[in-house]
Amino acid sequence: MSGFRREASDILDELDALRSADAPTHGGRVLSYVYDSGLAALDELAAEAARRVQPVNGLDPTTFVSVAAMERSVVGFARRVLGGEGGAGDGSGNDDVVVGSVTSGGTESCLLAVKSARDAWRAARLGSPRVPRLVAPVTVHAAFHKAAHYFGLELDLVPVDPATGTLAPAAIEERLGDDVALVVLSAPSYPFASLDPVADVAAITAERGIALHVDACIGGFALAFWPEPLPAWNLSVPGVTSLSADLHKYGYAPKGASVLLTRGRDRQRHQYFATTGWPGYPVVNPTMTGSKPAGPLAAAWAITEALGEPGFTELTAQAARATAALRDTIDGIEGLRVVGRATGPLLAVATDEDAPAGSRVDPHHWADAARSAGWQLQLQPGLVQADGTHLPHTTHLTVTPVTERVLPELAAALVVAADEVRGIPQIDGGAALAGLALALPGFDADGGASGLAALAAGGLDSDTAAAILGAAGLLGGEGALPDQLAPVLALVEALPGPLTERLLVELLARVVEPPAD
Ligand SMILES: *Cc1c(COP(=O)(O)O)cnc(C)c1O
């Protein structure tokens, strides 16, 4: 080949221009999605490590033996800091030893935990025609909804205390039966930062021989080094049979790395897929993909080598101090409250219903006000639980080590944002819905929500979905979010779930559809 069609520098300039429209990944202004250690040298090390394995195929660690060496090292580190050494039994038997895999992220770790538990459940009940059940508090990460959907389990969501977001162990116990393949708890949960009662539930599930996964995807590598004592939550609890923790969250690795640890070699072997039933190479995959990059693993390995326990301890202390300071700030803001007993470097913020109506602050208006000042908080919808109780809508903050450096500015912005929106009530979803129905071409406005529900039940085609999005003012841009997200979330809360899901699918699908030329 004589040359490139375009100059490399020109292409990279274009990439830089595209990137300039992204939310900032560093500097602490985005309080979700990104986990900034604040150490530029660590990012550089990770990038260089990833680059050096760029051509490697992680599919086959017997051909690319560096992959096996790095994975052993990372799994060993995770096992050490997540309570997987000693504790249960003598630590050396097939049933006791904790083994693991590096996966592409939290979702893959969660999917595999569910798949393994399902297959172990099936293997123990040869011929059972029953659909296995997955029991978890309603605060469990959506990755388990996805896992139940992909792997054919019934998802049995247990209500939590609507005021605090906490789970009563007895509520799980009531749901247990022989069809339960897996119970999942969070340490902590994403929506409310609640640390589920791992030891209490583990005592119950262990006695019944039911598998228990602890989803420590977000918090694992922070709680492992948390400066204050915590209730037992990790693999040091004997009944915990697997645990997930994301290297690309508080492991500070670039995206694409998580660890799934499993107690017992035999239990973990259910995670693998193997076949020799085709005329090609024997396929033996511990994770979902075939060919896979070694870059995220190499980056995560380099980071754990560079930081070690002392480095993680220091970074976690920074995030913990910043979290405590933000909690104090929010406690001092009239009309807002931190939900429940938030544990680890994240918080959810709700309206303080004890404040007089005129002093209340809606967390979504608050997030929008903070956003217009350059701070991106994450809006979370309210939810009606199976028992009819209502979980409040909230705003989520993920706090990272770098947050500590911007704390004075951030705290001031949160106070100002609350002052700007204090007394403005939560958007009335029903009214938003009626407005939407009115704006729909050819749609009977009297139908309102039920009319929209009927639409959804009938199955929406792509053009109808796009028309609804257009009427809501959500289609047409280049994929950028509108300035005000509170009205969008109000619709999300008011529309029937399946309809919202269908509309969001349409939105995301159209964002990446190339224009017709
Ligand atoms: C982030 C997260 C996941 C899913 O992880 P991804 O890396 O986004 O796939 C699962 N559980 C919890 C609690 C999380 O916070």
Side-chain angles (χ1 to χ4, degrees):
M1 188 168 115
S2 56
F4 294 152
R5 185 178 65 92
R6 277 175 77 186
E7 290 292 332
S9 62
D10 183 41
I11 296 167
L12 295 175
D13 286 348
E14 182 178 342
L15 178 57
D16 287 345
L18 292 171
R19 287 281 287 110
S20 70
D22 284 344
T25 56
H26 288 77
R29 291 201 155 250
V30 177
L31 289 108
S32 60
Y33 298 133
V34 290
Y35 301 79
D36 186 357
S37 69
L39 302 173
L42 199 67
D43 290 344
E44 280 307 316
L45 171 66
E48 184 54 33
R51 189 183 166 82
R52 291 190 188 191
V53 298
Q54 185 169 274
V56 164
N57 191 345
L59 168 68
D60 184 356
T62 64
T63 301
F64 301 103
V65 292
S66 67
V67 170
M70 290 187 290
E71 188 160 359
R72 276 196 300 274
S73 171
V74 171
V75 170
F77 173 79
R79 180 170 74 174
R80 191 161 68 244
V81 305
L82 297 168
E85 284 181 355
D90 66 5
S92 61
N94 269 345
D95 293 346
D96 293 330
V97 69
V98 171
V99 290
S101 299
V102 173
T103 73
S104 66
T107 298
E108 190 178 26
S109 291
C110 298
L111 290 173
L112 289 169
V114 173
K115 183 210 119 50
S116 302
R118 182 201 64 178
D119 290 355
W121 179 89
R122 274 189 188 156
R125 290 164 189 74
L126 270 187
S128 169
R130 273 185 305 175
V131 173
R133 196 151 47 92
L134 191 169
V135 174
V138 70
T139 44
V140 78
H141 195 277
F144 292 93
H145 295 230
K146 190 179 198 174
H149 178 71
Y150 279 9
F151 298 127
L153 288 86
E154 181 196 334
L155 183 62
D156 187 2
L157 294 174
V158 176
V160 297
D161 179 337
T164 62
T166 54
L167 170 75
I172 295 282
E173 187 166 20
E174 281 170 16
R175 306 297 314 156
L176 298 184
D178 188 54
D179 61 332
V180 175
L182 184 66
V183 173
V184 181
L185 299 179
S186 306
S189 74
Y190 188 93
F192 298 149
S194 42
L195 180 62
D196 287 331
V198 173
D200 289 344
V201 172
I204 297 164
T205 51
E207 198 187 295
R208 299 186 180 220
I210 295 173
L212 172 62
H213 179 79
V214 172
D215 178 15
C217 276
I218 192 161
F221 286 111
L223 296 193
F225 303 98
W226 200 247
E228 289 143 23
L230 297 170
W233 59 276
N234 63 18
L235 283 157
S236 66
V237 178
V240 173
T241 51
S242 56
L243 182 147
S244 51
D246 290 352
L247 294 157
H248 66 202
K249 288 180 180 158
Y250 288 94
Y252 310 107
K255 292 294 179 254
S258 169
V259 185
L260 173 60
L261 297 175
T262 304
R263 192 192 308 284
R265 292 191 183 99
D266 288 319
R267 178 179 281 111
Q268 193 242 11
R269 301 315 187 233
H270 290 289
Q271 184 185 312
Y272 281 71
F273 176 81
T275 184
T276 52
W278 73 313
Y281 57 89
V283 166
V284 189
N285 296 156
T287 59
M288 316 250 320
T289 55
S291 291
K292 62 182 178 186
L297 168 64
W301 170 78
I303 287 170
T304 56
E305 289 298 307
L307 291 177
E309 279 91 329
F312 274 97
T313 302
E314 171 54 26
L315 289 174
T316 303
Q318 291 171 16
R321 286 194 298 265
T323 309
L326 283 177
R327 171 187 267 284
D328 286 348
T329 299
I330 293 158
D331 284 346
I333 296 179
E334 185 178 21
L336 287 177
R337 68 177 173 98
V338 173
V339 176
R341 242 173 299 151
T343 303
L346 46 153
L347 297 170
V349 181
T351 300
D352 181 3
E353 302 287 350
D354 291 339
S359 309
R360 288 182 200 157
V361 175
D362 175 67
H364 288 182
H365 290 318
W366 178 61
D368 276 340
R371 183 182 165 89
S372 63
W375 301 91
Q376 296 195 25
L377 317 180
Q378 193 174 54
L379 293 77
Q380 303 187 124
L383 188 76
V384 178
Q385 306 193 89
D387 63 0
T389 58
H390 191 266
L391 298 174
H393 78 188
T394 56
T395 287
H396 167 106
L397 288 81
T398 290
V399 182
T400 63
V402 88
T403 311
E404 194 177 32
R405 295 191 204 160
V406 295
L407 208 50
E409 283 170 271
L410 172 57
L414 296 182
V415 170
V416 169
D419 290 344
E420 281 173 19
V421 301
R422 183 166 295 108
I424 303 178
Q426 172 176 348
I427 292 175
D428 178 352
L433 213 60
L436 175 62
L438 271 177
L440 272 177
F443 185 74
D444 171 19
D446 297 336
S450 59
L452 288 170
L455 252 186
L460 240 47
D461 65 26
S462 168
D463 284 343
T464 309
I468 298 176
L469 287 169
L474 289 171
L475 213 60
E478 296 255 286
L481 289 170
D483 288 337
Q484 300 288 310
L485 291 177
V488 180
L489 269 284
L491 276 178
V492 167
E493 289 181 51
L495 286 169
L499 177 56
T500 314
E501 287 153 7
R502 178 64 188 85
L503 294 177
L504 293 175
V505 166
E506 196 60 34
L507 183 68
L508 273 289
R510 297 229 173 197
V511 161
V512 297
E513 190 174 309
D517 46 26

